[in-house]
């Protein structure tokens, strides 16, 4: 059932209408940012098309077809070209998936989909092939696929999943019906985390707000690590907000931040600092503002008194300047010292 998926009410409406009118196109393009549920929706559509006891037009989530469709197996490691070896078939004989084998989706992979989509369904009502990430098809694969799109069996469907629709050949895009996916609302993610018992209370709230609309990010986020980073950066914000700014404390923070054990997470520390500055800035304008770090609202509110509009704006742009420098090879220690001192002077 589409209701079990989080967010994207409009995409749900579009897909339900296609199913109700029995007009699911031969080629669909699921486009939207990373981690907003495109792949799950593709699987759900494949289930709806093959469910043995559909509820209305949707999958029942109980029959054996519904249970097997989401269960993709790695392609067989055989060189037998007749049997094919590129499609990751699901537990259902009519639903398959093309993933990256190397850096691109190759013409051999596309040809196998082309061949398979000529067949009638083996056990269900529709053959569904999901290609994810579709923007990684090389030109030959895309051309092989174009042929497929033209003479498809009416019971075969191709779902191209992409976070970069602009990277697809225009000829492919124009032959597909596009379904757009949006980032999820923080409330939608929070509700899901609570309902599935993954997080509760203020943890659920914080994770949902840190996830930037991406369910995948919410599920993978390591909250303890975030809180550790945030504690260090809260100290930085306190030192900045003191008048005059506490430069000795800022330089100590640089030492901690550029310590070898934190080498890999450096940019996530900057993320934490940015979120804190934004929150304090919002609170300085409106004590009831919606903020990310809701669980430390009171501490942020006390600080926000010292965070003026102009200062917060300058702080954020200094951090962005440092981010740009990170792309080239910079000495982090020197750059962080310079960052904090220039923020203190801002
Ligand atoms: Zn079912």
């Amino acid at each position: 059932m589409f209701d079990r998926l989080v967010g994207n009410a409009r995409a749900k409406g579009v897909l339900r209408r296609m199913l109700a009118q029995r007009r699911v196109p031969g080629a669909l393009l699921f486009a939207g940012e990373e981690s907003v549920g495109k792949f799950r929706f593709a699987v759900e559509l494949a289930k709806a098309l093959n469910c043995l006891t559909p509820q209305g037009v949707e999958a029942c989530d109980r029959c054996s077809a519904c249970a097997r469709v989401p269960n993709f197996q790695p392609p067989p490691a055989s060189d037998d070209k007749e049997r094919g070896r590129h499609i990751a078939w699901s537990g259902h004989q009519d639903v398959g998936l093309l993933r990256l084998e190397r850096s691109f989706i190759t013409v051999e992979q596309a040809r196998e989909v082309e061949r398979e989509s000529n067949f009638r369904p083996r056990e269900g009502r529709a053959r569904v092939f999901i290609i994810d990430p579709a923007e990684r098809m090389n030109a030959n694969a895309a051309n092989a696929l174009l042929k497929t799109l033209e003479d498809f069996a009416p019971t075969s469907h191709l779902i191209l999943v992409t976070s970069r629709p602009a990277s697809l050949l225009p000829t492919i895009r124009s032959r597909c019906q596009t379904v757009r996916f949006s980032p999820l609302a923080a409330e939608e993610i929070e509700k899901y985390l609570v309902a599935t018992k993954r997080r509760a209370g203020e943890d659920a709230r914080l994770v949902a707000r840190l996830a930037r609309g991406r369910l995948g990010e919410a599920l993978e986020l390591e909250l303890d690590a975030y809180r550790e980073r945030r504690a260090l950066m809260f100290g930085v914000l306190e030192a900045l907000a003191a008048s005059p700014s506490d430069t000795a404390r800022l330089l100590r923070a640089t030492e901690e931040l550029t310590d070898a054990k934190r080498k890999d997470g450096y940019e996530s520390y900057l993320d934490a600092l940015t979120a804190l500055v934004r929150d304090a800035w919002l609170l300085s304008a409106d004590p009831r503002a919606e903020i990310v770090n809701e669980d430390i609202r009171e501490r942020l509110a006390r600080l926000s008194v010292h965070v003026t509009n102009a200062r917060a704006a300058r702080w954020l742009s200094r951090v962005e300047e440092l981010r740009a420098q990170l792309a080239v090879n910079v000495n982090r220690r020197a750059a962080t010292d310079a960052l904090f001192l220039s923020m203190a002077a801002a």
Side-chain angles (χ1 to χ4, degrees), residues 233-247 249-250 273 277 303 306-307 311 315 339-346:
M233 297 327 255
F234 190 88
V236 168
L237 187 58
E238 266 181 335
L240 286 170
S243 49
S245 295
D246 185 344
T247 44
R249 190 171 173 190
L250 289 171
L273 179 60
V277 172
L303 259 184
H306 309 284
V307 179
R311 277 190 106 188
W315 287 348
L339 169 73
F340 289 163
L341 294 179
S342 79
M343 287 173 89

Side-chain angles (χ1 to χ4, degrees), residues 51-54 59-63 65-66:
C51 176
L52 300 172
T53 53
C60 72
D61 284 324
R62 283 189 298 269
C63 72
C66 282

Side-chain angles (χ1 to χ4, degrees), residues 5 83 87 91 153 173 177 181-182 193 200 222-223 248 252 269 275 343:
L5 302 176
R83 283 173 51 220
I87 294 174
R173 276 205 311 271
Q177 188 160 334
F181 289 79
S182 327
L193 294 173
E222 292 175 22
L223 195 52
R252 278 201 306 279
Y269 283 85
M343 287 173 89

Side-chain angles (χ1 to χ4, degrees), residues 86 98-115 131 133-149 158 160 168-169 171-172:
H86 295 294
L98 271 198
R99 284 252 190 239
L100 283 182
E101 284 179 0
R102 272 158 283 153
S103 26
F104 288 99
I105 287 176
T106 61
V107 66
E108 289 78 20
Q109 291 178 278
R111 288 219 177 98
E112 195 172 317
V113 167
E114 180 195 352
R115 193 167 58 241
I131 302 186
E135 77 275 7
R136 301 297 288 279
M137 280 186 288
N138 65 25
N140 289 342
N143 287 328
L145 194 75
L146 277 176
K147 235 176 98 194
T148 311
L149 295 179
L158 210 55
L160 308 188
L168 286 168
L169 285 182
T171 38
I172 296 251

Side-chain angles (χ1 to χ4, degrees), residues 253-254 257-258 266 322 331-341:
T254 299
L257 183 56
T258 51
Y266 184 80
L322 174 60
N331 177 328
R332 283 186 185 174
R333 176 115 187 211
T336 312
D337 268 344
L339 169 73
F340 289 163
L341 294 179

Side-chain angles (χ1 to χ4, degrees), residues 60 152 176 188 205 293 314:
C60 72
F152 239 21
C176 297
E188 291 172 330
R205 202 182 152 80
N293 295 286
R314 282 199 292 269

Side-chain angles (χ1 to χ4, degrees), residues 130-334:
I130 302 171
I131 302 186
D132 183 12
E135 77 275 7
R136 301 297 288 279
M137 280 186 288
N138 65 25
N140 289 342
N143 287 328
L145 194 75
L146 277 176
K147 235 176 98 194
T148 311
L149 295 179
E150 275 154 13
D151 32 53
F152 239 21
T155 44
S156 288
H157 305 273
L158 210 55
I159 307 177
L160 308 188
V161 175
T162 182
S163 53
R164 308 177 70 182
S167 308
L168 286 168
L169 285 182
T171 38
I172 296 251
R173 276 205 311 271
S174 65
R175 281 172 169 83
C176 297
Q177 188 160 334
T178 299
V179 181
R180 290 189 194 289
F181 289 79
S182 327
L184 311 182
E187 292 74 23
E188 291 172 330
I189 295 180
E190 184 180 347
K191 244 171 89 181
Y192 176 82
L193 294 173
V194 173
T196 54
K197 298 194 163 45
R198 284 176 165 85
R199 303 274 184 188
E202 69 177 23
D203 284 0
R205 202 182 152 80
L206 179 58
V207 169
R209 273 147 193 81
L210 289 168
R212 299 178 297 172
R214 301 172 170 191
L215 185 61
E217 203 156 310
L219 296 176
E220 280 166 24
L221 197 124
E222 292 175 22
L223 195 52
D224 290 342
Y226 173 74
R227 287 206 165 104
E228 192 264 342
R229 291 195 291 272
R230 186 179 68 180
L232 180 59
M233 297 327 255
F234 190 88
V236 168
L237 187 58
E238 266 181 335
L240 286 170
S243 49
S245 295
D246 185 344
T247 44
R249 190 171 173 190
L250 289 171
L251 297 180
R252 278 201 306 279
T254 299
E255 251 172 68
E256 272 197 72
L257 183 56
T258 51
D259 187 288
K261 69 175 198 275
R262 295 200 167 83
K263 198 168 123 252
D264 294 330
Y266 184 80
E267 285 192 58
S268 23
Y269 283 85
L270 295 183
D271 292 342
L273 179 60
T274 304
L276 288 170
V277 172
R278 278 184 203 286
D279 282 353
W281 188 3
L282 287 168
L283 290 173
S284 70
D286 173 8
R288 285 174 313 181
E290 277 269 327
I291 58 171
V292 169
N293 295 286
E294 179 62 42
D295 55 327
I296 54 166
R297 174 181 283 269
E298 280 179 27
R299 293 175 62 202
L300 277 166
R302 281 198 294 277
L303 259 184
S304 71
V305 183
H306 309 284
V307 179
T308 62
N309 252 334
R311 277 190 106 188
R314 282 199 292 269
W315 287 348
L316 290 175
S317 67
R318 298 280 190 282
V319 177
E320 289 320 305
E321 283 161 26
L322 174 60
R323 273 187 215 276
Q325 289 173 30
L326 288 176
V328 294
N329 210 0
V330 359
N331 177 328
R332 283 186 185 174
R333 176 115 187 211

